[in-house]
């Protein structure tokens, strides 16, 4: 079965689809064939794929009843799951299939509070399995040099899961890439956004390679 990286947060607008498309492409460029399972009822990533070129990761819609079969049918080495904006059956099943769960949060209280049910489920699962899935927060869409951006790390530090050092900032490039079937790694003039995604990809791969848990 492929390595599964699920991007989950029950709050809509947290940046799941942006993270899924860009990270899948980053993994591709690092030599890890990647594809995306779109579990969000809004099907943002599915619409993105309709515009995407041949070099972009393929996308398959998925649902709670089919997600295990969809993962097992994948021909890539890594599958990214873009989860639902709810703590529902699909997200729980995705979490149980995952090697790594990334939880995108914006620098705001509601984004963090909305993930607490998911955090409880992850912790329960990790206790049963001896540490699987690994999981981490990813700060997304931060507005640089604001109090919220500087304080979010301290707030997330009160939770049991780590927070990746890599963050995405609020940049037009992300919206432009998502709406045009590409990624910031392929968009001309998006160097800063590209570096952000590459850092997140690098750190998530480090988590997947760890053998100390």
């Amino acid at each position: 079965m492929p390595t599964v990286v699920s991007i989950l947060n029950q709050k809509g607008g947290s940046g799941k689809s942006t993270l899924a498309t860009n990270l899948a492409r980053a993994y591709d460029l690092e030599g890890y064939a990647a594809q995306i399972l779109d579990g969000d009822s809004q099907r943002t990533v599915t619409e993105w794929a309709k515009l995407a070129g041949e070099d972009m990761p393929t996308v398959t819609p998925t649902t709670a009843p089919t997600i295990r079969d969809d993962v097992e049918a994948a021909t890539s080495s890594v599958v990214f799951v873009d989860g639902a904006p709810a703590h529902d059956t699909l997200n729980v099943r995705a979490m149980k299939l995952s090697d790594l769960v990334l939880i995108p949060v914006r620098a705001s209280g509601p984004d963090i509070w909305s993930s607490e049910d998911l955090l409880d489920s992850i912790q329960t699962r990790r206790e049963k399995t001896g540490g699987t899935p690994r999981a981490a927060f990813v700060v997304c869409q931060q507005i640089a040099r604001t109090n919220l951006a500087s304080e979010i790390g301290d707030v997330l530090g009160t939770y049991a899961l780590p927070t990746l050092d890599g963050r995405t900032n609020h940049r037009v490039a992300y919206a432009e890439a998502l709406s045009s079937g590409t990624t910031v790694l392929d968009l001309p003039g998006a160097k800063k956004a590209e570096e952000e995604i590459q850092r997140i990809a690098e750190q998530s791969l480090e988590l997947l390679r760890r053998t100390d848990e």
Side-chain angles (χ1 to χ4, degrees), residues 80-140:
F80 286 85
V81 179
D82 182 15
H87 190 56
D88 63 1
T89 303
L90 183 139
N91 279 7
V92 172
R93 290 182 179 176
M95 182 268 295
K96 290 181 177 179
L97 290 167
S98 295
D99 299 281
L100 174 64
V101 175
L102 297 177
I103 306 166
V105 292
R106 294 181 299 179
S108 71
D111 274 55
I112 300 168
W113 303 330
S114 70
S115 65
E116 290 184 348
D117 289 341
L118 172 62
L119 298 179
D120 289 342
S121 295
I122 290 172
Q123 185 61 30
T124 299
R125 180 67 176 174
R126 285 166 59 86
E127 289 170 357
K128 290 181 178 178
T129 63
T132 302
R134 290 176 178 156
F137 292 107
V138 183
V139 177
C140 294

Side-chain angles (χ1 to χ4, degrees), residues 7-64:
I7 301 175
L8 308 177
N9 190 327
Q10 64 200 68
K11 187 178 186 302
S14 60
K16 293 185 297 81
S17 299
T18 294
L19 203 56
T21 53
N22 284 282
L23 280 185
R25 177 62 170 153
Y27 273 51
D28 263 348
L29 293 173
E30 287 293 322
Y32 300 90
Q35 67 186 85
I36 304 170
L37 295 182
D38 185 1
D40 190 330
S41 59
Q42 296 181 3
R43 296 297 189 227
T44 300
V45 177
T46 300
E47 293 301 314
W48 170 85
K50 293 177 181 178
L51 302 172
E54 293 182 358
D55 291 339
M56 294 297 117
T58 60
V59 176
T60 302
T62 193
T63 62

Side-chain angles (χ1 to χ4, degrees), residues 170-181:
H170 185 73
R171 300 186 191 280
V172 173
Y174 289 110
E176 289 180 346
L178 192 63
S179 62
S180 58

Side-chain angles (χ1 to χ4, degrees), residues 133-156:
R134 290 176 178 156
F137 292 107
V138 183
V139 177
C140 294
Q141 306 174 42
Q142 73 170 6
I143 300 175
R145 296 182 295 278
T146 63
N147 288 337
L148 285 173
S150 62
E151 293 170 0
I152 185 67
D154 292 336
V155 174
L156 293 175

